[in-house]
Amino acid sequence: MSEEVKDAARNVPIAITWGYFSNGIMATVLLITFLFANPSVKDSLDDITGFPFLYVFKNATSTAGVNGLTAIILLPVIFSNILFNASTSRQTFAFARDNGLPFSRWIGKVDAKRQIPVNAIALSCIISCALSLINIGSDTAFHAIISLNVAALMYTYIISISCVIYRKIRHPETLPLRRWDMGRWGLAVNIIALFYSLFALFWSFWPGDVAVTLDNFNWSVVIFGAVFILSLGMYVIKGRKEYVGPAAIVEKHED
């Protein structure tokens, strides 16, 4: 979405940084308050509603208070879904624009009147709704897809951070000019981030219980492997012949 932000090289890193620190501070205050208000971790986990935070709310306030506090939580969740869809649709559009997806011409089309990728937005909404319906048939399958989010994010972080580290060590002259730079601390931060991502990726595939069954098995590793093999096959058959990275396109335009 940086393409739609004015002076993105400056404003996007600032937004990310302020968002990280402001949300981190608020989350710390919220977590400490929540833990002090929780009389029993076991009872909150075994609450009939299936949501531990509702158990804490019920013990801390009246029914009206529970409804009010829950509404405060639900409203940001609704707003965040809109933001997630905007981000996902733009990533889908950008990847399709570079011929990285099937039916790239249709997905990467920008509506002439609205000046937004309507097809990519609609496709993201349809896929999200379809995945949500899985919960009706199988909780296990739905939770497997949800847990896959962590593994997929960590894997993308590992790839991108590894490429930056390699460039910084072996070919620093090939890195483009940037307005946001941590100087001599940048490489150390990249290495720490890489090890953290590897650590998180490793544990994201493990089941949550010692006694593993078909119901509590972490199926995200199976889905991740299947998507990885499918993506690799698409690249070998189609992607390596058609895909052109955005960096190469920018360089051609500058020339």
Side-chain angles (χ1 to χ4, degrees), residues 138-242:
S138 173
D139 291 340
T140 303
F142 179 75
H143 292 152
I145 295 175
I146 296 300
S147 62
L148 182 63
N149 178 55
V150 176
L153 283 175
M154 291 303 112
Y155 185 74
T156 57
Y157 295 157
I158 289 170
I159 296 299
S160 58
I161 295 173
S162 299
C163 292
V164 172
I165 292 175
Y166 172 77
R167 290 288 184 178
K168 284 185 175 181
I169 295 176
R170 298 298 299 272
H171 305 286
E173 72 282 353
T174 61
L175 290 172
L177 296 176
R178 58 269 187 198
R179 297 177 61 185
W180 183 274
D181 195 339
M182 299 186 68
R184 62 178 180 175
W185 298 102
L187 181 60
V189 171
N190 291 146
I191 294 175
I192 293 173
L194 177 61
F195 277 104
Y196 173 80
S197 300
L198 288 169
F199 177 82
L201 176 67
F202 175 78
W203 290 109
S204 66
F205 292 133
W206 286 73
D209 299 315
V210 176
V212 181
T213 64
L214 289 176
D215 292 331
N216 62 26
F217 180 75
N218 191 348
W219 293 97
S220 62
V221 62
V222 179
I223 302 176
F224 181 87
V227 173
F228 180 83
I229 294 174
L230 178 63
S231 301
L232 189 62
M234 287 180 58
Y235 174 77
V236 173
I237 297 173
K238 183 175 181 291
R240 62 190 179 91
K241 302 175 183 178
E242 299 180 1

Side-chain angles (χ1 to χ4, degrees), residues 66-195:
V66 173
N67 295 334
L69 291 173
T70 304
I72 294 175
I73 294 176
L74 291 178
L75 286 176
V77 169
I78 295 173
F79 296 150
S80 64
N81 285 334
I82 298 174
L83 297 176
F84 291 152
N85 178 261
S87 175
T88 303
S89 61
R90 265 54 173 197
Q91 292 181 51
T92 303
F93 156 74
F95 199 31
R97 180 190 58 187
D98 300 329
N99 294 320
L101 292 174
F103 312 105
S104 293
R105 180 172 297 181
W106 181 82
I107 299 174
K109 183 180 179 180
V110 178
D111 186 89
K113 181 179 179 180
R114 300 178 179 86
Q115 292 298 307
I116 57 175
V118 175
N119 294 343
I121 295 174
L123 181 63
S124 299
C125 291
I126 293 173
I127 293 177
S128 297
C129 293
L131 292 176
S132 299
L133 294 176
I134 295 177
N135 194 36
I136 299 176
S138 173
D139 291 340
T140 303
F142 179 75
H143 292 152
I145 295 175
I146 296 300
S147 62
L148 182 63
N149 178 55
V150 176
L153 283 175
M154 291 303 112
Y155 185 74
T156 57
Y157 295 157
I158 289 170
I159 296 299
S160 58
I161 295 173
S162 299
C163 292
V164 172
I165 292 175
Y166 172 77
R167 290 288 184 178
K168 284 185 175 181
I169 295 176
R170 298 298 299 272
H171 305 286
E173 72 282 353
T174 61
L175 290 172
L177 296 176
R178 58 269 187 198
R179 297 177 61 185
W180 183 274
D181 195 339
M182 299 186 68
R184 62 178 180 175
W185 298 102
L187 181 60
V189 171
N190 291 146
I191 294 175
I192 293 173
L194 177 61
F195 277 104

Side-chain angles (χ1 to χ4, degrees), residues 16-50:
I16 293 174
T17 303
W18 279 110
Y20 176 82
F21 285 109
S22 60
N23 282 281
I25 293 172
M26 289 188 292
T28 302
V29 174
L30 176 64
L31 179 60
I32 294 175
T33 305
F34 182 84
L35 293 177
F36 271 103
N38 188 359
S40 172
V41 175
K42 184 179 185 303
D43 290 342
S44 63
L45 293 174
D46 296 335
D47 187 66
I48 190 173
T49 62

